Amino acid sequence: KNEVEQSPQNLTAQEGEFITINCSYSVGISALHWLQQHPGGGIVSLFMLSSGKKKHGRLIATINIQEKHSSLHITASHPRDSAVYICAVRLLRGGSRLTFGEGTQLTVNP
Amino acid sequence: DTAVSQTPKYLVTQMGNDKSIKCEQNLGHDTMYWYKQDSKKFLKIMFSYNNKELIINETVPNRFSPKSPDKAHLNLHINSLELGDSAVYFCASSPGGGGVTGELFFGEGSRLTVL
């Protein structure tokens, strides 16, 4: 079993919908990253967080360290949000090593 | 200016050949990484260097040899290529070093196809 589990694996939404992608992990971590991989293949870092909540535009990321869970929310979704969203954690004893989830494929239809 | 740049973007080669992928970052970061993304899109760390020093070396065949001539460059050389080496290889960098690292910046990826 992977140390980082994402759900759902695939998500299809209509433009304008509120979207939530979940990430659960089973180990102690020092930080959690949310990444976005565009259809063209490039990877962009969206958030790095170790507690609480961060917001950037229509994207919100939250983390609950006690429950070992993080969520990525997209408000007013748009077709350009279609991408793979990847959760990655930095293990407490892992130094700079990241462990990745398998990704969530999001498709937003117009 | 591209923050993290990799070359080549595409590489098609025959089994048994030796090839290199180059990576350069102009962000002044101390830490650089090589990640492999397989056909199922799963990312996995291969190597990490901090200020030219190897700090992470995952269970990777020794046909893969990273080289960091300076902290802005991390190249990946692969000997005796095998079919299973076909993947997308991503270079990334982050500020800080050792256990204190920050946000990741990725290159665009290098798609390697071994025939």
Side-chain angles (χ1 to χ4, degrees), chain A residues 20-84:
Chain A
T20 296
I21 299 170
N22 296 300
C23 176
S24 297
Y25 50 92
S26 57
V27 292
I29 68 168
S30 58
L32 183 143
H33 295 252
W34 280 103
L35 310 172
Q36 179 192 55
Q37 186 165 25
H38 301 294
I43 299 176
V44 173
S45 176
L46 298 175
F47 296 103
M48 186 186 78
L49 62 166
S50 53
S51 65
K53 177 179 172 178
K54 285 191 177 179
K55 184 175 190 290
H56 185 250
R58 294 179 296 105
L59 301 176
I60 304 166
T62 63
I63 188 168
N64 185 318
I65 295 291
Q66 285 74 29
E67 294 185 5
K68 293 187 167 60
H69 181 268
S70 174
S71 292
L72 176 69
H73 305 286
I74 306 175
T75 61
S77 59
H78 190 276
R80 65 174 174 265
D81 297 326
S82 298
V84 176

Short mmCIF file of all heavy atoms in Angstrom, two decimals, chain A residues 20-84:
data_model
loop_
_atom_site.label_atom_id
_atom_site.label_comp_id
_atom_site.label_asym_id
_atom_site.label_seq_id
_atom_site.Cartn_x
_atom_site.Cartn_y
_atom_site.Cartn_z
N THR A 20 -13.16 19.13 -4.93
CA THR A 20 -12.29 18.75 -3.81
C THR A 20 -11.53 17.49 -4.17
O THR A 20 -12.12 16.50 -4.62
CB THR A 20 -13.12 18.49 -2.54
OG1 THR A 20 -13.75 19.71 -2.14
CG2 THR A 20 -12.22 18.00 -1.40
N ILE A 21 -10.23 17.53 -3.96
CA ILE A 21 -9.36 16.36 -4.13
C ILE A 21 -8.72 16.09 -2.78
O ILE A 21 -8.26 17.02 -2.11
CB ILE A 21 -8.28 16.62 -5.19
CG1 ILE A 21 -8.93 16.92 -6.55
CG2 ILE A 21 -7.33 15.43 -5.30
CD1 ILE A 21 -7.97 17.42 -7.61
N ASN A 22 -8.72 14.82 -2.39
CA ASN A 22 -8.24 14.46 -1.06
C ASN A 22 -6.93 13.70 -1.11
O ASN A 22 -6.64 12.98 -2.06
CB ASN A 22 -9.29 13.59 -0.36
CG ASN A 22 -10.56 14.36 -0.12
OD1 ASN A 22 -10.56 15.37 0.57
ND2 ASN A 22 -11.66 13.89 -0.71
N CYS A 23 -6.17 13.87 -0.03
CA CYS A 23 -4.88 13.19 0.10
C CYS A 23 -4.74 12.72 1.54
O CYS A 23 -4.86 13.52 2.47
CB CYS A 23 -3.75 14.14 -0.27
SG CYS A 23 -2.09 13.45 -0.05
N SER A 24 -4.52 11.43 1.72
CA SER A 24 -4.27 10.87 3.05
C SER A 24 -2.91 10.20 3.07
O SER A 24 -2.49 9.62 2.08
CB SER A 24 -5.35 9.84 3.40
OG SER A 24 -6.60 10.43 3.46
N TYR A 25 -2.24 10.30 4.20
CA TYR A 25 -0.91 9.71 4.29
C TYR A 25 -0.80 8.98 5.62
O TYR A 25 -1.54 9.25 6.57
CB TYR A 25 0.19 10.78 4.13
CG TYR A 25 0.01 11.98 5.02
CD1 TYR A 25 0.59 12.04 6.28
CD2 TYR A 25 -0.76 13.05 4.59
CE1 TYR A 25 0.42 13.14 7.09
CE2 TYR A 25 -0.94 14.16 5.40
CZ TYR A 25 -0.35 14.20 6.64
OH TYR A 25 -0.53 15.29 7.46
N SER A 26 0.12 8.05 5.68
CA SER A 26 0.16 7.14 6.83
C SER A 26 1.40 7.32 7.69
O SER A 26 1.62 6.57 8.64
CB SER A 26 0.07 5.70 6.35
OG SER A 26 1.11 5.42 5.43
N VAL A 27 2.23 8.31 7.36
CA VAL A 27 3.50 8.48 8.08
C VAL A 27 3.62 9.91 8.59
O VAL A 27 2.85 10.78 8.18
CB VAL A 27 4.68 8.17 7.14
CG1 VAL A 27 4.70 6.69 6.77
CG2 VAL A 27 4.61 9.00 5.87
N GLY A 28 4.57 10.13 9.49
CA GLY A 28 4.82 11.48 9.96
C GLY A 28 5.49 12.30 8.87
O GLY A 28 6.40 11.83 8.21
N ILE A 29 5.02 13.52 8.70
CA ILE A 29 5.58 14.35 7.63
C ILE A 29 6.02 15.70 8.17
O ILE A 29 5.56 16.15 9.22
CB ILE A 29 4.58 14.56 6.47
CG1 ILE A 29 3.40 15.43 6.91
CG2 ILE A 29 4.09 13.21 5.94
CD1 ILE A 29 2.53 15.93 5.75
N SER A 30 6.91 16.34 7.41
CA SER A 30 7.30 17.70 7.76
C SER A 30 6.63 18.72 6.84
O SER A 30 6.52 19.89 7.19
CB SER A 30 8.82 17.86 7.69
OG SER A 30 9.28 17.53 6.39
N ALA A 31 6.19 18.28 5.67
CA ALA A 31 5.50 19.17 4.74
C ALA A 31 4.75 18.36 3.70
O ALA A 31 5.08 17.19 3.47
CB ALA A 31 6.50 20.11 4.05
N LEU A 32 3.78 19.01 3.10
CA LEU A 32 2.99 18.38 2.04
C LEU A 32 2.93 19.34 0.86
O LEU A 32 2.75 20.55 1.03
CB LEU A 32 1.59 18.05 2.55
CG LEU A 32 0.63 17.33 1.60
CD1 LEU A 32 -0.23 16.34 2.36
CD2 LEU A 32 -0.22 18.29 0.80
N HIS A 33 3.09 18.77 -0.33
CA HIS A 33 3.05 19.57 -1.56
C HIS A 33 1.83 19.16 -2.38
O HIS A 33 1.48 17.97 -2.44
CB HIS A 33 4.29 19.31 -2.42
CG HIS A 33 5.58 19.74 -1.82
ND1 HIS A 33 6.28 20.84 -2.28
CD2 HIS A 33 6.31 19.22 -0.82
CE1 HIS A 33 7.39 20.96 -1.58
NE2 HIS A 33 7.43 20.00 -0.68
N TRP A 34 1.23 20.15 -3.02
CA TRP A 34 0.27 19.87 -4.09
C TRP A 34 0.89 20.36 -5.40
O TRP A 34 1.36 21.49 -5.49
CB TRP A 34 -1.05 20.60 -3.85
CG TRP A 34 -1.95 19.91 -2.87
CD1 TRP A 34 -2.18 20.25 -1.57
CD2 TRP A 34 -2.75 18.75 -3.13
NE1 TRP A 34 -3.05 19.37 -1.00
CE2 TRP A 34 -3.43 18.44 -1.93
CE3 TRP A 34 -2.97 17.94 -4.24
CZ2 TRP A 34 -4.32 17.36 -1.81
CZ3 TRP A 34 -3.83 16.87 -4.13
CH2 TRP A 34 -4.50 16.59 -2.93
N LEU A 35 0.90 19.46 -6.38
CA LEU A 35 1.47 19.75 -7.69
C LEU A 35 0.40 19.61 -8.75
O LEU A 35 -0.56 18.86 -8.59
CB LEU A 35 2.61 18.77 -8.00
CG LEU A 35 3.68 18.57 -6.93
CD1 LEU A 35 4.62 17.43 -7.33
CD2 LEU A 35 4.48 19.85 -6.74
N GLN A 36 0.58 20.34 -9.85
CA GLN A 36 -0.32 20.24 -10.99
C GLN A 36 0.48 19.86 -12.21
O GLN A 36 1.50 20.50 -12.52
CB GLN A 36 -1.00 21.59 -11.22
CG GLN A 36 -1.97 21.63 -12.40
CD GLN A 36 -2.36 23.06 -12.74
OE1 GLN A 36 -1.52 23.91 -12.98
NE2 GLN A 36 -3.66 23.33 -12.78
N GLN A 37 0.04 18.81 -12.88
CA GLN A 37 0.70 18.41 -14.12
C GLN A 37 -0.25 18.66 -15.28
O GLN A 37 -1.32 18.07 -15.37
CB GLN A 37 1.13 16.95 -14.11
CG GLN A 37 1.95 16.58 -15.35
CD GLN A 37 2.69 15.27 -15.22
OE1 GLN A 37 2.31 14.41 -14.44
NE2 GLN A 37 3.77 15.13 -15.97
N HIS A 38 0.19 19.57 -16.18
CA HIS A 38 -0.64 19.95 -17.30
C HIS A 38 -0.70 18.83 -18.33
O HIS A 38 0.18 17.96 -18.37
CB HIS A 38 -0.05 21.20 -17.96
CG HIS A 38 0.04 22.37 -17.03
ND1 HIS A 38 -1.07 22.99 -16.53
CD2 HIS A 38 1.10 23.00 -16.50
CE1 HIS A 38 -0.69 23.97 -15.74
NE2 HIS A 38 0.61 24.00 -15.69
N PRO A 39 -1.73 18.86 -19.19
CA PRO A 39 -1.81 17.86 -20.26
C PRO A 39 -0.53 17.78 -21.09
O PRO A 39 -0.17 16.73 -21.58
CB PRO A 39 -3.00 18.34 -21.10
CG PRO A 39 -3.85 19.08 -20.13
CD PRO A 39 -2.91 19.75 -19.18
N GLY A 40 0.17 18.89 -21.24
CA GLY A 40 1.42 18.88 -22.00
C GLY A 40 2.57 18.23 -21.26
O GLY A 40 3.64 18.01 -21.83
N GLY A 41 2.39 17.94 -19.96
CA GLY A 41 3.41 17.21 -19.22
C GLY A 41 4.15 18.00 -18.16
O GLY A 41 4.73 17.41 -17.27
N GLY A 42 4.18 19.35 -18.26
CA GLY A 42 4.92 20.13 -17.28
C GLY A 42 4.30 20.06 -15.89
O GLY A 42 3.10 19.88 -15.74
N ILE A 43 5.14 20.16 -14.86
CA ILE A 43 4.68 20.08 -13.47
C ILE A 43 4.92 21.42 -12.80
O ILE A 43 6.01 21.98 -12.88
CB ILE A 43 5.43 18.97 -12.71
CG1 ILE A 43 5.18 17.61 -13.35
CG2 ILE A 43 4.97 18.95 -11.25
CD1 ILE A 43 5.95 16.48 -12.70
N VAL A 44 3.87 21.88 -12.11
CA VAL A 44 3.95 23.16 -11.41
C VAL A 44 3.61 22.92 -9.94
O VAL A 44 2.67 22.19 -9.63
CB VAL A 44 2.96 24.17 -12.02
CG1 VAL A 44 2.91 25.44 -11.20
CG2 VAL A 44 3.35 24.48 -13.45
N SER A 45 4.37 23.53 -9.07
CA SER A 45 4.08 23.44 -7.64
C SER A 45 2.97 24.43 -7.32
O SER A 45 3.08 25.62 -7.61
CB SER A 45 5.34 23.75 -6.84
OG SER A 45 5.06 23.76 -5.47
N LEU A 46 1.89 23.95 -6.70
CA LEU A 46 0.78 24.82 -6.33
C LEU A 46 0.93 25.32 -4.90
O LEU A 46 0.78 26.50 -4.63
CB LEU A 46 -0.54 24.07 -6.47
CG LEU A 46 -0.91 23.57 -7.87
CD1 LEU A 46 -2.18 22.74 -7.80
CD2 LEU A 46 -1.08 24.74 -8.82
N PHE A 47 1.17 24.40 -4.00
CA PHE A 47 1.28 24.74 -2.58
C PHE A 47 2.30 23.85 -1.90
O PHE A 47 2.50 22.71 -2.28
CB PHE A 47 -0.06 24.50 -1.85
CG PHE A 47 -1.20 25.36 -2.29
CD1 PHE A 47 -2.19 24.85 -3.12
CD2 PHE A 47 -1.29 26.69 -1.87
CE1 PHE A 47 -3.24 25.63 -3.54
CE2 PHE A 47 -2.36 27.48 -2.28
CZ PHE A 47 -3.33 26.96 -3.11
N MET A 48 2.91 24.42 -0.87
CA MET A 48 3.66 23.63 0.09
C MET A 48 3.14 24.06 1.45
O MET A 48 3.13 25.26 1.75
CB MET A 48 5.16 23.88 0.01
CG MET A 48 5.95 22.95 0.92
SD MET A 48 7.70 23.32 0.97
CE MET A 48 7.72 24.74 2.04
N LEU A 49 2.66 23.12 2.25
CA LEU A 49 2.12 23.50 3.55
C LEU A 49 2.45 22.47 4.61
O LEU A 49 2.61 21.29 4.31
CB LEU A 49 0.61 23.79 3.47
CG LEU A 49 -0.41 22.75 3.08
CD1 LEU A 49 -1.82 23.23 3.43
CD2 LEU A 49 -0.34 22.38 1.64
N SER A 50 2.55 22.95 5.83
CA SER A 50 2.82 22.05 6.95
C SER A 50 1.74 22.17 8.02
O SER A 50 1.71 21.38 8.95
CB SER A 50 4.20 22.33 7.55
OG SER A 50 4.32 23.69 7.87
N SER A 51 0.88 23.18 7.89
CA SER A 51 -0.22 23.32 8.82
C SER A 51 -1.25 24.27 8.22
O SER A 51 -0.91 25.09 7.35
CB SER A 51 0.26 23.85 10.17
OG SER A 51 0.75 25.16 10.02
N GLY A 52 -2.48 24.17 8.71
CA GLY A 52 -3.51 25.15 8.39
C GLY A 52 -3.98 25.14 6.95
O GLY A 52 -4.32 24.10 6.39
N LYS A 53 -3.96 26.30 6.36
CA LYS A 53 -4.64 26.52 5.09
C LYS A 53 -3.88 27.55 4.29
O LYS A 53 -3.32 28.49 4.85
CB LYS A 53 -6.05 27.03 5.42
CG LYS A 53 -6.95 27.41 4.29
CD LYS A 53 -8.29 27.86 4.90
CE LYS A 53 -9.22 28.44 3.88
NZ LYS A 53 -10.52 28.83 4.46
N LYS A 54 -3.85 27.35 2.96
CA LYS A 54 -3.27 28.36 2.08
C LYS A 54 -4.23 28.58 0.91
O LYS A 54 -4.91 27.65 0.47
CB LYS A 54 -1.90 27.92 1.56
CG LYS A 54 -0.79 28.02 2.59
CD LYS A 54 0.57 27.82 1.95
CE LYS A 54 1.67 28.00 2.99
NZ LYS A 54 3.01 27.79 2.41
N LYS A 55 -4.22 29.81 0.41
CA LYS A 55 -5.12 30.15 -0.70
C LYS A 55 -4.33 30.89 -1.76
O LYS A 55 -3.51 31.77 -1.46
CB LYS A 55 -6.26 31.03 -0.17
CG LYS A 55 -7.34 31.38 -1.19
CD LYS A 55 -8.48 32.14 -0.50
CE LYS A 55 -9.69 32.32 -1.40
NZ LYS A 55 -9.47 33.24 -2.52
N HIS A 56 -4.61 30.51 -3.02
CA HIS A 56 -3.99 31.22 -4.13
C HIS A 56 -5.00 31.28 -5.25
O HIS A 56 -5.29 30.29 -5.91
CB HIS A 56 -2.71 30.49 -4.59
CG HIS A 56 -1.97 31.25 -5.64
ND1 HIS A 56 -1.90 30.82 -6.96
CD2 HIS A 56 -1.28 32.41 -5.59
CE1 HIS A 56 -1.19 31.70 -7.65
NE2 HIS A 56 -0.81 32.67 -6.85
N GLY A 57 -5.58 32.48 -5.43
CA GLY A 57 -6.62 32.62 -6.45
C GLY A 57 -7.82 31.74 -6.12
O GLY A 57 -8.39 31.82 -5.02
N ARG A 58 -8.18 30.86 -7.05
CA ARG A 58 -9.34 29.97 -6.84
C ARG A 58 -8.96 28.66 -6.16
O ARG A 58 -9.80 27.78 -5.98
CB ARG A 58 -10.00 29.68 -8.20
CG ARG A 58 -10.63 30.90 -8.87
CD ARG A 58 -11.26 30.58 -10.22
NE ARG A 58 -10.26 30.13 -11.19
CZ ARG A 58 -10.10 28.86 -11.58
NH1 ARG A 58 -10.86 27.90 -11.07
NH2 ARG A 58 -9.18 28.55 -12.46
N LEU A 59 -7.72 28.52 -5.82
CA LEU A 59 -7.23 27.28 -5.21
C LEU A 59 -7.04 27.46 -3.71
O LEU A 59 -6.51 28.48 -3.26
CB LEU A 59 -5.91 26.86 -5.83
CG LEU A 59 -5.89 26.60 -7.34
CD1 LEU A 59 -4.47 26.28 -7.79
CD2 LEU A 59 -6.82 25.48 -7.71
N ILE A 60 -7.49 26.45 -2.97
CA ILE A 60 -7.32 26.45 -1.51
C ILE A 60 -6.79 25.09 -1.10
O ILE A 60 -7.30 24.06 -1.55
CB ILE A 60 -8.67 26.69 -0.79
CG1 ILE A 60 -9.31 27.99 -1.26
CG2 ILE A 60 -8.47 26.70 0.73
CD1 ILE A 60 -10.76 28.14 -0.87
N ALA A 61 -5.76 25.08 -0.27
CA ALA A 61 -5.24 23.81 0.25
C ALA A 61 -5.31 23.85 1.76
O ALA A 61 -4.98 24.85 2.39
CB ALA A 61 -3.80 23.59 -0.21
N THR A 62 -5.75 22.73 2.33
CA THR A 62 -5.83 22.61 3.78
C THR A 62 -5.11 21.35 4.20
O THR A 62 -4.98 20.40 3.43
CB THR A 62 -7.28 22.54 4.26
OG1 THR A 62 -7.88 21.35 3.73
CG2 THR A 62 -8.08 23.75 3.81
N ILE A 63 -4.65 21.36 5.44
CA ILE A 63 -4.00 20.16 5.97
C ILE A 63 -4.37 20.00 7.44
O ILE A 63 -4.44 20.99 8.18
CB ILE A 63 -2.47 20.20 5.78
CG1 ILE A 63 -1.84 18.84 6.17
CG2 ILE A 63 -1.83 21.34 6.54
CD1 ILE A 63 -0.40 18.69 5.75
N ASN A 64 -4.64 18.76 7.83
CA ASN A 64 -4.91 18.42 9.22
C ASN A 64 -3.85 17.39 9.62
O ASN A 64 -3.93 16.23 9.25
CB ASN A 64 -6.31 17.84 9.38
CG ASN A 64 -6.66 17.60 10.83
OD1 ASN A 64 -5.84 17.12 11.62
ND2 ASN A 64 -7.88 17.93 11.20
N ILE A 65 -2.85 17.87 10.36
CA ILE A 65 -1.71 17.01 10.68
C ILE A 65 -2.14 15.84 11.58
O ILE A 65 -1.68 14.71 11.39
CB ILE A 65 -0.60 17.83 11.38
CG1 ILE A 65 -0.03 18.88 10.42
CG2 ILE A 65 0.50 16.92 11.92
CD1 ILE A 65 0.77 18.31 9.29
N GLN A 66 -3.04 16.10 12.51
CA GLN A 66 -3.48 15.03 13.44
C GLN A 66 -4.19 13.93 12.68
O GLN A 66 -4.01 12.74 12.96
CB GLN A 66 -4.41 15.60 14.52
CG GLN A 66 -3.71 16.41 15.60
CD GLN A 66 -3.29 17.76 15.10
OE1 GLN A 66 -3.90 18.36 14.22
NE2 GLN A 66 -2.21 18.28 15.67
N GLU A 67 -5.00 14.31 11.69
CA GLU A 67 -5.76 13.31 10.93
C GLU A 67 -4.97 12.81 9.72
O GLU A 67 -5.47 11.94 8.99
CB GLU A 67 -7.10 13.89 10.49
CG GLU A 67 -8.03 14.19 11.65
CD GLU A 67 -9.40 14.64 11.20
OE1 GLU A 67 -9.67 14.64 9.97
OE2 GLU A 67 -10.20 15.01 12.06
N LYS A 68 -3.79 13.35 9.48
CA LYS A 68 -2.95 12.95 8.35
C LYS A 68 -3.75 13.05 7.04
O LYS A 68 -3.84 12.09 6.26
CB LYS A 68 -2.40 11.53 8.54
CG LYS A 68 -1.41 11.39 9.70
CD LYS A 68 -0.78 10.01 9.70
CE LYS A 68 0.41 9.91 10.62
NZ LYS A 68 0.14 10.19 12.02
N HIS A 69 -4.27 14.22 6.81
CA HIS A 69 -5.15 14.41 5.66
C HIS A 69 -5.01 15.84 5.13
O HIS A 69 -4.89 16.80 5.89
CB HIS A 69 -6.61 14.15 6.08
CG HIS A 69 -7.58 14.30 4.97
ND1 HIS A 69 -8.22 15.48 4.69
CD2 HIS A 69 -8.01 13.42 4.04
CE1 HIS A 69 -9.00 15.32 3.64
NE2 HIS A 69 -8.89 14.07 3.23
N SER A 70 -5.05 15.94 3.81
CA SER A 70 -5.03 17.25 3.16
C SER A 70 -6.06 17.27 2.05
O SER A 70 -6.38 16.22 1.46
CB SER A 70 -3.64 17.53 2.58
OG SER A 70 -3.63 18.74 1.84
N SER A 71 -6.61 18.44 1.78
CA SER A 71 -7.54 18.60 0.68
C SER A 71 -7.11 19.76 -0.19
O SER A 71 -6.57 20.76 0.30
CB SER A 71 -8.96 18.88 1.18
OG SER A 71 -9.49 17.75 1.84
N LEU A 72 -7.37 19.60 -1.48
CA LEU A 72 -7.17 20.69 -2.44
C LEU A 72 -8.54 21.03 -3.00
O LEU A 72 -9.26 20.16 -3.49
CB LEU A 72 -6.23 20.26 -3.57
CG LEU A 72 -6.03 21.28 -4.69
CD1 LEU A 72 -5.24 22.49 -4.18
CD2 LEU A 72 -5.30 20.66 -5.88
N HIS A 73 -8.92 22.29 -2.87
CA HIS A 73 -10.22 22.74 -3.37
C HIS A 73 -10.01 23.70 -4.53
O HIS A 73 -9.09 24.52 -4.51
CB HIS A 73 -11.00 23.47 -2.27
CG HIS A 73 -11.17 22.70 -1.02
ND1 HIS A 73 -12.05 21.64 -0.90
CD2 HIS A 73 -10.57 22.82 0.20
CE1 HIS A 73 -12.00 21.15 0.32
NE2 HIS A 73 -11.10 21.85 1.02
N ILE A 74 -10.88 23.58 -5.52
CA ILE A 74 -10.90 24.53 -6.63
C ILE A 74 -12.30 25.13 -6.69
O ILE A 74 -13.29 24.39 -6.83
CB ILE A 74 -10.58 23.85 -7.98
CG1 ILE A 74 -9.24 23.10 -7.89
CG2 ILE A 74 -10.53 24.90 -9.09
CD1 ILE A 74 -8.90 22.31 -9.14
N THR A 75 -12.39 26.44 -6.54
CA THR A 75 -13.69 27.10 -6.62
C THR A 75 -13.91 27.57 -8.06
O THR A 75 -12.95 27.88 -8.77
CB THR A 75 -13.77 28.29 -5.67
OG1 THR A 75 -12.75 29.23 -6.04
CG2 THR A 75 -13.53 27.87 -4.23
N ALA A 76 -15.18 27.61 -8.47
CA ALA A 76 -15.55 28.09 -9.81
C ALA A 76 -14.65 27.46 -10.87
O ALA A 76 -13.95 28.16 -11.62
CB ALA A 76 -15.47 29.61 -9.87
N SER A 77 -14.67 26.14 -10.94
CA SER A 77 -13.75 25.43 -11.83
C SER A 77 -13.93 25.84 -13.29
O SER A 77 -15.02 26.24 -13.72
CB SER A 77 -13.94 23.93 -11.67
OG SER A 77 -15.25 23.56 -11.99
N HIS A 78 -12.85 25.70 -14.02
CA HIS A 78 -12.79 26.12 -15.42
C HIS A 78 -12.10 25.02 -16.22
O HIS A 78 -11.25 24.32 -15.68
CB HIS A 78 -12.00 27.44 -15.50
CG HIS A 78 -12.07 28.09 -16.83
ND1 HIS A 78 -11.24 27.74 -17.87
CD2 HIS A 78 -12.88 29.08 -17.29
CE1 HIS A 78 -11.54 28.47 -18.92
NE2 HIS A 78 -12.52 29.30 -18.60
N PRO A 79 -12.45 24.88 -17.51
CA PRO A 79 -11.77 23.84 -18.31
C PRO A 79 -10.25 23.91 -18.26
O PRO A 79 -9.58 22.89 -18.36
CB PRO A 79 -12.30 24.10 -19.74
CG PRO A 79 -13.68 24.63 -19.51
CD PRO A 79 -13.59 25.47 -18.26
N ARG A 80 -9.69 25.09 -18.07
CA ARG A 80 -8.22 25.18 -18.01
C ARG A 80 -7.66 24.57 -16.73
O ARG A 80 -6.44 24.41 -16.60
CB ARG A 80 -7.75 26.62 -18.15
CG ARG A 80 -8.15 27.53 -17.02
CD ARG A 80 -7.51 28.92 -17.16
NE ARG A 80 -8.03 29.83 -16.14
CZ ARG A 80 -9.05 30.66 -16.35
NH1 ARG A 80 -9.63 30.72 -17.53
NH2 ARG A 80 -9.47 31.45 -15.38
N ASP A 81 -8.55 24.24 -15.77
CA ASP A 81 -8.08 23.54 -14.56
C ASP A 81 -7.86 22.05 -14.82
O ASP A 81 -7.34 21.33 -13.95
CB ASP A 81 -9.10 23.69 -13.42
CG ASP A 81 -9.29 25.13 -12.98
OD1 ASP A 81 -8.29 25.90 -13.02
OD2 ASP A 81 -10.42 25.50 -12.63
N SER A 82 -8.29 21.57 -15.99
CA SER A 82 -8.12 20.15 -16.32
C SER A 82 -6.64 19.80 -16.31
O SER A 82 -5.83 20.39 -17.04
CB SER A 82 -8.72 19.85 -17.71
OG SER A 82 -10.10 20.11 -17.70
N ALA A 83 -6.28 18.85 -15.47
CA ALA A 83 -4.88 18.47 -15.28
C ALA A 83 -4.85 17.30 -14.31
O ALA A 83 -5.88 16.87 -13.79
CB ALA A 83 -4.08 19.64 -14.69
N VAL A 84 -3.66 16.80 -14.07
CA VAL A 84 -3.47 15.81 -13.00
C VAL A 84 -2.95 16.55 -11.78
O VAL A 84 -1.99 17.34 -11.88
CB VAL A 84 -2.47 14.71 -13.42
CG1 VAL A 84 -2.21 13.75 -12.25
CG2 VAL A 84 -3.00 13.94 -14.62
#
